[in-house]
Amino acid sequence: MLNQPQVVSAKTRERVQAAMKELNFHLNPAASALRRGHGNVITVLAASLAQPWYTKLMRALKVEIEARGFTVMLVDLQHDPEVLRQALLPNSQHLPTGMVLATGDLLADTETFEAIRAAHATRPMVVIGQHVPDAEWPTVQFTDEEWAYRATREMLQHADSVAFLGQLEGSYLATERLAGYLRAVREVGLDEERWVWPIATRGYEAGLEAVHRRIDAGEIPGAILAINDELALGGSRALLTRGLRIPEDVAVMGFGNTDFLDYVTPTLSSVDGSATEAARVAIDALWAQFEEQPFPELTVLERTLVHRESTRNSEPA
Amino acid sequence: MLNQPQVVSAKTRERVQAAMKELNFHLNPAASALRRGHGNVITVLAASLAQPWYTKLMRALKVEIEARGFTVMLVDLQHDPEVLRQALLPNSQHLPTGMVLATGDLLADTETFEAIRAAHATRPMVVIGQHVPDAEWPTVQFTDEEWAYRATREMLQHADSVAFLGQLEGSYLATERLAGYLRAVREVGLDEERWVWPIATRGYEAGLEAVHRRIDAGEIPGAILAINDELALGGSRALLTRGLRIPEDVAVMGFGNTDFLDYVTPTLSSVDGSATEAARVAIDALWAQFEEQPFPELTVLERTLVHRESTRNSEPA
DNA sequence: CTGAAAGCGCTTACAG
DNA sequence: CTGAAAGCGCTTACAG
């Protein structure tokens, strides 16, 4: 009766509901989960809670998941493949209901790939951020190579060199964006290697340090494309403290279009991608698996360039 | 045997463990929870995931909770009392294991207070951020009134007026900080009401708007104390776009000492409080309840002033 | 439409 | 030290 209230008569139903209220009775979710064979929790594995983009995505995912009557369990992977593998083990989970894996860290290496395969054998799953060859799960990702290419080409209209702030081993996203950057640089006949800047980590401080080091070495490009907004802000700070003007001396563009960009000085341009849309498509694909419906193997979402003060063409033609 | 491996002989133990591995067997957590009477999930209710301070606190809480072998379920309250009340209902929870409530929104009003009381009757609980009179649960909070007072006094050494950016109804934290500000202003004999600025919400945009409005009205103080770092950044942006210099014309200080303050220009001063320490004390008090040990009813943690470019005495004497 | 019974997968107390 | 049994609180199939 509790799960199909319409099968009993209205009178009985009301009597039961009154009694439930009076006795302050509530279903025991562990017992329900045991009997049904699954709980109502979706685990979201996010690359890092310290990065604003994942916070943004996380909130969008919560909206979609809660709209379906499920709750979210959030795991902060901290960019550590070992944390991911642990999180994927069945015993660290609640009953296998579903998982969302959102990370830009490379998943195609053998060990991680096998861990995901094993986890996916037990429960529905969706990956946001990267398509792994031979994946059996649905993937949602952005057109990163393409938009890194476009951002670079556009910056090259106003600058004779563009640095890529964000070469990072083990990062799928950094590698995709680097590929787009290199394609653009190659097309205009510039030296491909010259302005590729590696970073130590993904945070503000790493951006600050990398740019300081290059200025010390006398290498000052006409523009910088950073793989995220934190690096863009850290890099900007380094430029400003060294007396360089943004965008007059060096233009700056990040990735992610996170909240703070409109409030820093100068405001920062960024390559945007809709967290809301990514979340919607991903959760649709997850639910299709619950219902044993077909799902799109790969969904590719477009991006847009958002110009602010840190790039020269903040007034698009 | 699974829960007390030492009671069986080494040979049997190994045989069982080998079989578990071979069959890829894992305990069903719902069944364990049902039998034991409680699960291993701590629910963390945070005021807003959009605010960097709560992200910081959340990460510290996860560390403490996971160190004890429990997992974290995160709920974003979005500053909505209705969401809080829903989250406190027993049926929206897993088995009653424990809850951490971290919010600066006023809890002392009758309805919310009753909801917390009812939830606390079912399970251990700890509140971070505010002491509610007659609370039966442990509370961890910072010395907000005191440090708002000290920050204001210090800014008054270099400015003849300090504005308070953050009057906000329904916020315990805003009210505490306003009280400290007013005490400082009163002590030096200034008009108490004149520089108290209300805000519409807690984000960057609200800070920007509030400050623009005041500049339009010709009200320019010598310094601004904001109740969080987002408002401080939004407010700074407004000052800079109107040609005001920070700190020469207007000094700025926020609350929370979040990540980005060292990378914006000018870097922003802030009143710090240790999220790590708050998390440690809170989870200790939660576990004391599990073990039916006594716990401190109220723990008050100190704060510190962190000076950066946006205040005049960035080199403390 | 209603009520009683079986069983989900564990944990624990108990008998051997 | 080992094995078999009871029971946590639900859901669902079935008998009345």
Side-chain angles (χ1 to χ4, degrees), chain A residues 157-170:
Chain A
Q157 290 175 10
H158 306 270
D160 51 14
S161 58
V162 176
F164 180 82
L165 177 59
Q167 188 186 33
L168 184 61
E169 213 155 311

Side-chain angles (χ1 to χ4, degrees), chain B residues 47-65:
Chain B
S48 167
L49 289 189
Q51 289 175 247
W53 157 257
Y54 288 104
T55 307
K56 202 166 138 182
L57 178 62
M58 240 277 307
R59 304 186 86 207
L61 286 168
K62 280 180 80 84
V63 169
E64 288 293 328
I65 291 168

